[in-house]
Amino acid sequence: MYKIKYLPQIFTFSITTFLIGFVMQMAHVEQALFILVLGLLSWLVFLLFALYEIVNSDKIDGVMKFLWVLGFFLLGIFTGLLYVLSERKKLFIMDSK
């Protein structure tokens, strides 16, 4: 299984950019829409890479893969945080042994 090296950084960038864009939008700053779109696009990049890792994993069975994909679409940011902080480490620690 191929580990995407910068996935946690992409997650952090997407969430931070989106939140900054949201605050800028609330303050009626002109460039807020650009920052929001940048945050959403980087979230999509994170989502695609994370789903690629999950779907191509040999360590996760079919039901768990389905639940991860469902979680990403229903509870996006929380599932992303859970994946980056815990499950991803388990997958690649088990993979290196």
Side-chain angles (χ1 to χ4, degrees):
M1 179 170 72
Y2 182 72
K3 180 179 180 181
I4 297 169
K5 187 175 181 179
Y6 297 109
L7 196 64
Q9 290 85 355
I10 295 170
F11 176 76
T12 304
F13 176 77
S14 67
I15 298 305
T16 305
T17 307
F18 182 77
L19 290 176
I20 290 170
F22 178 75
V23 170
M24 288 173 65
Q25 184 71 30
M26 298 311 271
H28 302 288
V29 176
E30 279 187 38
Q31 300 300 322
L33 184 60
F34 173 75
I35 301 297
L36 275 171
V37 170
L38 183 64
L40 289 174
L41 289 176
S42 60
W43 172 256
L44 288 175
V45 169
F46 167 77
L47 184 64
L48 291 173
F49 284 154
L51 290 175
Y52 173 79
E53 280 187 352
I54 291 169
V55 169
N56 290 323
S57 173
D58 298 334
K59 306 293 182 190
I60 304 174
D61 65 346
V63 173
M64 287 303 293
K65 286 180 184 183
F66 173 74
L67 291 176
W68 275 110
V69 171
L70 188 64
F72 269 111
F73 287 112
L74 295 180
L75 302 169
I77 190 170
F78 301 111
T79 306
L81 186 62
L82 182 65
Y83 179 71
V84 167
L85 293 179
S86 70
E87 187 64 28
R88 190 166 191 260
K89 291 177 185 176
K90 289 180 196 174
L91 288 176
F92 292 107
I93 288 173
M94 290 175 18
D95 208 20
S96 65
K97 290 183 179 180

